[in-house]
């Protein structure tokens, strides 16, 4: 079974020194360009954007390509909230046989399916006998472009 490996980066620390950066007042056009605004609105704290709870949130770096069809790529940083209950179609982090993986969650009557976001990977089904440990619901993804 091929799994996407996840590197845990540490938990969100709720402190007044959190990095907050200025955010543009208007959205940036991804189609035709619009006149640039010289004004920035409030500051943006990445932890507030992802609605991180300091008691149950952490970041994880992605390794692998099992979620590329849904825009999660190798090197991306996932924001994960361990305090949320997973619902069907949530993207979650689980440990399968002590290896972390990121997949869609689907609960059936007597089993759980971990569904990849890449058609080249198989669905992993578990009836509860295997070692599967829930580690949180993915609430956001961040990517460095350069």
């Amino acid at each position: 079974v091929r799994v996407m490996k996840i590197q845990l980066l540490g938990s969100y620390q709720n402190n007044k020194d959190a990095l907050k950066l200025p955010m543009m007042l208007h959205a940036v056009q991804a189609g035709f360009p619009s006149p640039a605004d010289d004004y920035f609105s409030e500051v943006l704290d990445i932890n507030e954007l992802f609605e991180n709870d300091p008691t149950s949130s952490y970041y994880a770096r992605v390794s692998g390509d099992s979620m590329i069809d849904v825009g999660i790529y190798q090197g991306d940083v996932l924001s994960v909230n361990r305090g949320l209950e997973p619902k069907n179609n949530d993207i979650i982090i689980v440990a399968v046989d002590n290896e972390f993986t990121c997949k869609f969650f689907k609960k059936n009557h007597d089993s759980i399916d971990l569904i990849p976001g890449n058609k080249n990977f198989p669905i992993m089904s578990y009836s509860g006998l295997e070692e599967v440990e829930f580690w949180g619901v993915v609430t956001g993804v961040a990517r460095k472009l350069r």
Side-chain angles (χ1 to χ4, degrees):
V1 174
R2 297 185 321 176
V3 297
M4 173 183 280
K5 294 187 187 244
I6 302 293
Q7 174 190 5
L8 300 182
L9 298 178
S11 61
Y12 159 57
Q13 301 297 317
N14 188 15
N15 64 44
K16 63 181 178 177
D17 299 324
L19 179 62
K20 295 183 180 187
L21 300 173
M23 187 166 151
M24 290 185 70
L25 185 59
H26 296 282
V28 176
Q29 294 293 324
F32 294 104
S34 67
D37 291 313
D38 292 331
Y39 301 103
F40 288 87
S41 68
E42 77 238 25
V43 295
L44 172 69
D45 180 339
I46 195 80
N47 294 306
E48 291 174 12
L49 174 68
F50 292 140
E51 298 179 356
N52 287 335
D53 177 349
T55 63
S56 61
S57 295
Y58 64 93
Y59 296 101
R61 187 172 307 279
V62 174
S63 172
D65 60 356
S66 71
M67 296 297 284
I68 61 173
D69 291 345
V70 294
I72 298 176
Y73 301 99
Q74 178 149 325
D76 285 355
V77 174
L78 303 176
S79 175
V80 185
N81 187 327
R82 197 168 177 158
L84 297 175
E85 242 348 272
K87 298 180 296 228
N88 282 346
N89 299 315
D90 278 348
I91 297 174
I92 64 168
I93 303 296
V94 294
V96 178
D97 296 327
N98 296 318
E99 293 222 23
F100 293 105
T101 189
C102 176
K103 299 284 184 282
F104 284 101
F105 174 81
K106 183 176 180 194
K107 185 172 184 174
N108 302 308
H109 288 40
D110 58 351
S111 67
I112 294 173
D113 290 340
L114 301 178
I115 303 167
N118 180 333
K119 64 184 179 299
N120 297 318
F121 283 72
I123 294 173
M124 301 160 40
S125 294
Y126 299 94
S127 62
L129 300 175
E130 296 84 359
E131 185 63 32
V132 177
E133 183 181 359
F134 174 71
W135 272 71
V137 174
V138 175
T139 59
V141 60
R143 173 179 308 121
K144 186 174 179 180
L145 297 177
R146 301 177 113 208

